[in-house]
PDB file of all heavy atoms in Angstrom:
ATOM      1  N   TYR X  52      56.827 -70.387 -40.198  1.00  0.00           N
ATOM      2  CA  TYR X  52      55.416 -70.495 -40.563  1.00  0.00           C
ATOM      3  C   TYR X  52      54.890 -71.911 -40.308  1.00  0.00           C
ATOM      4  O   TYR X  52      53.704 -72.113 -40.079  1.00  0.00           O
ATOM      5  CB  TYR X  52      55.198 -70.046 -42.022  1.00  0.00           C
ATOM      6  CG  TYR X  52      55.471 -71.114 -43.045  1.00  0.00           C
ATOM      7  CD1 TYR X  52      54.435 -71.869 -43.572  1.00  0.00           C
ATOM      8  CD2 TYR X  52      56.755 -71.382 -43.466  1.00  0.00           C
ATOM      9  CE1 TYR X  52      54.678 -72.870 -44.501  1.00  0.00           C
ATOM     10  CE2 TYR X  52      57.017 -72.373 -44.387  1.00  0.00           C
ATOM     11  CZ  TYR X  52      55.977 -73.115 -44.905  1.00  0.00           C
ATOM     12  OH  TYR X  52      56.226 -74.108 -45.800  1.00  0.00           O
ATOM     13  N   GLN X  53      55.788 -72.906 -40.348  1.00  0.00           N
ATOM     14  CA  GLN X  53      55.340 -74.283 -40.088  1.00  0.00           C
ATOM     15  C   GLN X  53      55.116 -74.520 -38.597  1.00  0.00           C
ATOM     16  O   GLN X  53      54.332 -75.382 -38.221  1.00  0.00           O
ATOM     17  CB  GLN X  53      56.351 -75.280 -40.657  1.00  0.00           C
ATOM     18  CG  GLN X  53      56.472 -75.173 -42.164  1.00  0.00           C
ATOM     19  CD  GLN X  53      56.784 -76.481 -42.845  1.00  0.00           C
ATOM     20  OE1 GLN X  53      57.065 -77.494 -42.205  1.00  0.00           O
ATOM     21  NE2 GLN X  53      56.731 -76.479 -44.168  1.00  0.00           N
ATOM     22  N   VAL X  54      55.820 -73.752 -37.757  1.00  0.00           N
ATOM     23  CA  VAL X  54      55.533 -73.802 -36.317  1.00  0.00           C
ATOM     24  C   VAL X  54      54.187 -73.120 -36.073  1.00  0.00           C
ATOM     25  O   VAL X  54      53.340 -73.611 -35.339  1.00  0.00           O
ATOM     26  CB  VAL X  54      56.662 -73.103 -35.516  1.00  0.00           C
ATOM     27  CG1 VAL X  54      56.293 -72.981 -34.037  1.00  0.00           C
ATOM     28  CG2 VAL X  54      57.972 -73.862 -35.669  1.00  0.00           C
ATOM     29  N   ALA X  55      53.978 -71.997 -36.761  1.00  0.00           N
ATOM     30  CA  ALA X  55      52.741 -71.228 -36.579  1.00  0.00           C
ATOM     31  C   ALA X  55      51.511 -72.018 -37.024  1.00  0.00           C
ATOM     32  O   ALA X  55      50.414 -71.791 -36.528  1.00  0.00           O
ATOM     33  CB  ALA X  55      52.822 -69.916 -37.351  1.00  0.00           C
ATOM     34  N   THR X  56      51.696 -72.940 -37.955  1.00  0.00           N
ATOM     35  CA  THR X  56      50.542 -73.678 -38.477  1.00  0.00           C
ATOM     36  C   THR X  56      50.551 -75.149 -38.039  1.00  0.00           C
ATOM     37  O   THR X  56      49.790 -75.957 -38.567  1.00  0.00           O
ATOM     38  CB  THR X  56      50.473 -73.573 -40.015  1.00  0.00           C
ATOM     39  OG1 THR X  56      51.762 -73.876 -40.547  1.00  0.00           O
ATOM     40  CG2 THR X  56      50.060 -72.193 -40.456  1.00  0.00           C
ATOM     41  N   GLY X  57      51.417 -75.489 -37.102  1.00  0.00           N
ATOM     42  CA  GLY X  57      51.337 -76.791 -36.445  1.00  0.00           C
ATOM     43  C   GLY X  57      51.986 -77.950 -37.183  1.00  0.00           C
ATOM     44  O   GLY X  57      51.816 -79.092 -36.779  1.00  0.00           O
ATOM     45  N   THR X  58      52.744 -77.691 -38.241  1.00  0.00           N
ATOM     46  CA  THR X  58      53.417 -78.816 -38.912  1.00  0.00           C
ATOM     47  C   THR X  58      54.644 -79.247 -38.121  1.00  0.00           C
ATOM     48  O   THR X  58      54.953 -80.430 -38.010  1.00  0.00           O
ATOM     49  CB  THR X  58      53.840 -78.417 -40.344  1.00  0.00           C
ATOM     50  OG1 THR X  58      52.670 -78.093 -41.064  1.00  0.00           O
ATOM     51  CG2 THR X  58      54.570 -79.534 -41.052  1.00  0.00           C
ATOM     52  N   LEU X  59      55.362 -78.269 -37.575  1.00  0.00           N
ATOM     53  CA  LEU X  59      56.586 -78.581 -36.833  1.00  0.00           C
ATOM     54  C   LEU X  59      56.514 -78.015 -35.424  1.00  0.00           C
ATOM     55  O   LEU X  59      55.900 -76.960 -35.206  1.00  0.00           O
ATOM     56  CB  LEU X  59      57.807 -77.979 -37.551  1.00  0.00           C
ATOM     57  CG  LEU X  59      58.143 -78.529 -38.940  1.00  0.00           C
ATOM     58  CD1 LEU X  59      59.294 -77.723 -39.553  1.00  0.00           C
ATOM     59  CD2 LEU X  59      58.542 -80.009 -38.867  1.00  0.00           C
ATOM     60  N   ALA X  60      57.168 -78.707 -34.494  1.00  0.00           N
ATOM     61  CA  ALA X  60      57.302 -78.164 -33.135  1.00  0.00           C
ATOM     62  C   ALA X  60      58.453 -77.168 -33.150  1.00  0.00           C
ATOM     63  O   ALA X  60      59.358 -77.268 -33.992  1.00  0.00           O
ATOM     64  CB  ALA X  60      57.598 -79.286 -32.158  1.00  0.00           C
ATOM     65  N   ARG X 140      50.074 -70.057 -33.534  1.00  0.00           N
ATOM     66  CA  ARG X 140      49.471 -71.396 -33.522  1.00  0.00           C
ATOM     67  C   ARG X 140      48.360 -71.486 -32.473  1.00  0.00           C
ATOM     68  O   ARG X 140      47.239 -71.904 -32.771  1.00  0.00           O
ATOM     69  CB  ARG X 140      50.541 -72.446 -33.225  1.00  0.00           C
ATOM     70  CG  ARG X 140      50.010 -73.849 -33.376  1.00  0.00           C
ATOM     71  CD  ARG X 140      51.068 -74.883 -33.068  1.00  0.00           C
ATOM     72  NE  ARG X 140      51.184 -75.114 -31.643  1.00  0.00           N
ATOM     73  CZ  ARG X 140      52.264 -75.622 -31.049  1.00  0.00           C
ATOM     74  NH1 ARG X 140      53.319 -75.922 -31.744  1.00  0.00           N
ATOM     75  NH2 ARG X 140      52.278 -75.830 -29.750  1.00  0.00           N
ATOM     76  N   ILE X 184      44.964 -75.909 -43.563  1.00  0.00           N
ATOM     77  CA  ILE X 184      44.222 -76.241 -42.336  1.00  0.00           C
ATOM     78  C   ILE X 184      42.731 -76.249 -42.670  1.00  0.00           C
ATOM     79  O   ILE X 184      41.982 -77.139 -42.283  1.00  0.00           O
ATOM     80  CB  ILE X 184      44.530 -75.202 -41.226  1.00  0.00           C
ATOM     81  CG1 ILE X 184      45.985 -75.334 -40.763  1.00  0.00           C
ATOM     82  CG2 ILE X 184      43.559 -75.344 -40.049  1.00  0.00           C
ATOM     83  CD1 ILE X 184      46.409 -74.340 -39.703  1.00  0.00           C
ATOM     84  N   ASN X 404      58.044 -85.473 -40.053  1.00  0.00           N
ATOM     85  CA  ASN X 404      56.815 -84.660 -40.002  1.00  0.00           C
ATOM     86  C   ASN X 404      56.299 -84.327 -41.394  1.00  0.00           C
ATOM     87  O   ASN X 404      55.102 -84.382 -41.653  1.00  0.00           O
ATOM     88  CB  ASN X 404      57.090 -83.351 -39.261  1.00  0.00           C
ATOM     89  CG  ASN X 404      56.875 -83.508 -37.779  1.00  0.00           C
ATOM     90  OD1 ASN X 404      55.751 -83.655 -37.322  1.00  0.00           O
ATOM     91  ND2 ASN X 404      57.958 -83.504 -37.034  1.00  0.00           N
ATOM     92  N   SER X 414      48.412 -81.580 -40.347  1.00  0.00           N
ATOM     93  CA  SER X 414      49.476 -81.087 -39.475  1.00  0.00           C
ATOM     94  C   SER X 414      49.311 -81.771 -38.137  1.00  0.00           C
ATOM     95  O   SER X 414      48.195 -81.988 -37.673  1.00  0.00           O
ATOM     96  CB  SER X 414      49.340 -79.596 -39.244  1.00  0.00           C
ATOM     97  OG  SER X 414      49.090 -78.957 -40.440  1.00  0.00           O
ATOM     98  N   GLY X 415      50.422 -82.101 -37.512  1.00  0.00           N
ATOM     99  CA  GLY X 415      50.336 -82.896 -36.299  1.00  0.00           C
ATOM    100  C   GLY X 415      50.082 -82.126 -35.021  1.00  0.00           C
ATOM    101  O   GLY X 415      49.437 -82.620 -34.109  1.00  0.00           O
ATOM    102  N   ILE X 416      50.573 -80.894 -34.934  1.00  0.00           N
ATOM    103  CA  ILE X 416      50.649 -80.268 -33.612  1.00  0.00           C
ATOM    104  C   ILE X 416      49.498 -79.300 -33.408  1.00  0.00           C
ATOM    105  O   ILE X 416      49.475 -78.216 -33.981  1.00  0.00           O
ATOM    106  CB  ILE X 416      52.014 -79.568 -33.453  1.00  0.00           C
ATOM    107  CG1 ILE X 416      53.113 -80.605 -33.679  1.00  0.00           C
ATOM    108  CG2 ILE X 416      52.145 -78.950 -32.078  1.00  0.00           C
ATOM    109  CD1 ILE X 416      54.354 -80.049 -34.232  1.00  0.00           C
ATOM    110  N   ARG X 417      48.543 -79.714 -32.611  1.00  0.00           N
ATOM    111  CA  ARG X 417      47.341 -78.890 -32.435  1.00  0.00           C
ATOM    112  C   ARG X 417      47.132 -78.555 -30.970  1.00  0.00           C
ATOM    113  O   ARG X 417      45.999 -78.488 -30.499  1.00  0.00           O
ATOM    114  CB  ARG X 417      46.111 -79.634 -32.926  1.00  0.00           C
ATOM    115  CG  ARG X 417      46.331 -80.375 -34.198  1.00  0.00           C
ATOM    116  CD  ARG X 417      45.438 -79.907 -35.295  1.00  0.00           C
ATOM    117  NE  ARG X 417      45.708 -80.693 -36.475  1.00  0.00           N
ATOM    118  CZ  ARG X 417      45.117 -81.837 -36.757  1.00  0.00           C
ATOM    119  NH1 ARG X 417      44.190 -82.301 -35.973  1.00  0.00           N
ATOM    120  NH2 ARG X 417      45.441 -82.504 -37.847  1.00  0.00           N
TER     121      ARG X 417
END
Side-chain angles (χ1 to χ4, degrees):
Y52 83 97
Q53 297 212 352
V54 172
T56 49
T58 299
L59 295 174
R140 187 181 83 202
I184 292 178
N404 272 290
S414 314
I416 303 150
R417 318 241 181 88

